[in-house]
Amino acid sequence: RRKEETKTQKEKMNKTIATVLFILIFLITFELIAISMSGISDFFKTGETEIEMSEDELRHMQSVKNVNDGVKITIYALIIVLGILLYRTNFEFYKIFYNMWIPLAVFLAICAFASIFPNFSFELLHKIFFPQGNYTFPTGTTLVTMYPFSFFKSLFLRVFTTTTILSGILVLIGYYRKQ
């Protein structure tokens, strides 16, 4: 009975580590792709821009910078958590990789929903991260011109593809190693 409990605990720990690792892959992928696509990485470093924007647009950009800073802090925190979890367990990477299929499946389901309902998903995401409501701007404003809906669609596709491929490779490694 004791061996069963230990095995169950180890399986739960492997799933936890797999989930943390998946979230890290997603966040790092998002961070790198979003910054490379945005063209305003200086703003994320300094909080200032040479691009002419309205006060509302600048407030929104500051909100985006705050979310971006939160993503960075979350990445660092998850790296520490992952390190602690790996240190405290007698892990086998292939089991962790194999267990990444669970968060990958959840991610794919969320992405499928977002693909079917893109406008709703865009609104929901913005209401979550920008509850103050400063995320809609009239056509022709600087932000809408710089970041039309096609920008976000491209960002979504790149993050989706990269995260899915990287995680899928790890799941396959875990699956074939497990056999």
Side-chain angles (χ1 to χ4, degrees), residues 118-172:
N119 293 334
F120 174 79
S121 300
F122 184 84
E123 281 289 318
L124 180 63
L125 186 74
H126 279 76
K127 284 181 180 178
I128 291 169
F129 289 105
F130 308 107
Q132 65 276 19
N134 66 341
Y135 60 88
T136 56
F137 300 96
T139 304
T141 58
T142 302
L143 282 181
V144 172
T145 303
M146 287 177 64
Y147 307 109
F149 193 74
S150 60
F151 167 84
F152 294 100
K153 183 178 178 183
S154 179
L155 173 65
F156 170 80
L157 288 173
R158 288 179 185 188
V159 171
F160 167 80
T161 303
T162 305
T163 301
T164 302
I165 289 171
L166 291 174
S167 300
I169 288 169
L170 294 178
V171 169
L172 288 173

Side-chain angles (χ1 to χ4, degrees), residues 12-171:
K12 285 181 182 177
M13 185 59 74
N14 282 337
K15 288 177 182 175
T16 301
I17 293 170
T19 301
V20 170
L21 183 59
F22 178 84
I23 293 169
L24 261 173
I25 289 170
F26 168 74
L27 289 176
I28 291 170
T29 300
F30 177 80
E31 180 71 14
L32 293 174
I33 291 174
I35 293 297
S36 71
M37 285 181 66
S38 70
I40 56 166
S41 58
D42 287 344
F43 184 84
F44 289 130
K45 292 175 189 168
T46 65
E48 297 176 9
T49 182
E50 298 294 319
I51 300 168
E52 193 170 315
M53 294 184 191
S54 70
E55 285 298 316
D56 284 343
E57 290 174 306
L58 287 172
R59 273 194 293 280
H60 178 68
M61 289 307 300
Q62 186 58 51
S63 297
V64 171
K65 181 183 181 313
N66 294 342
V67 168
N68 183 272
D69 291 345
V71 168
K72 287 179 186 172
I73 290 167
T74 303
I75 289 170
Y76 298 136
L78 286 174
I79 289 171
I80 292 168
V81 167
L82 184 62
I84 291 168
L85 290 173
L86 290 173
Y87 177 77
R88 297 188 73 207
T89 60
N90 184 10
F91 62 90
E92 297 173 84
F93 274 111
Y94 74 91
K95 288 183 180 176
I96 293 169
F97 291 167
Y98 176 73
N99 280 307
M100 284 180 64
W101 76 266
I102 299 166
L104 178 58
V106 171
F107 175 74
L108 292 174
I110 292 169
C111 289
F113 179 85
S115 295
I116 295 167
F117 305 104
N119 293 334
F120 174 79
S121 300
F122 184 84
E123 281 289 318
L124 180 63
L125 186 74
H126 279 76
K127 284 181 180 178
I128 291 169
F129 289 105
F130 308 107
Q132 65 276 19
N134 66 341
Y135 60 88
T136 56
F137 300 96
T139 304
T141 58
T142 302
L143 282 181
V144 172
T145 303
M146 287 177 64
Y147 307 109
F149 193 74
S150 60
F151 167 84
F152 294 100
K153 183 178 178 183
S154 179
L155 173 65
F156 170 80
L157 288 173
R158 288 179 185 188
V159 171
F160 167 80
T161 303
T162 305
T163 301
T164 302
I165 289 171
L166 291 174
S167 300
I169 288 169
L170 294 178
V171 169

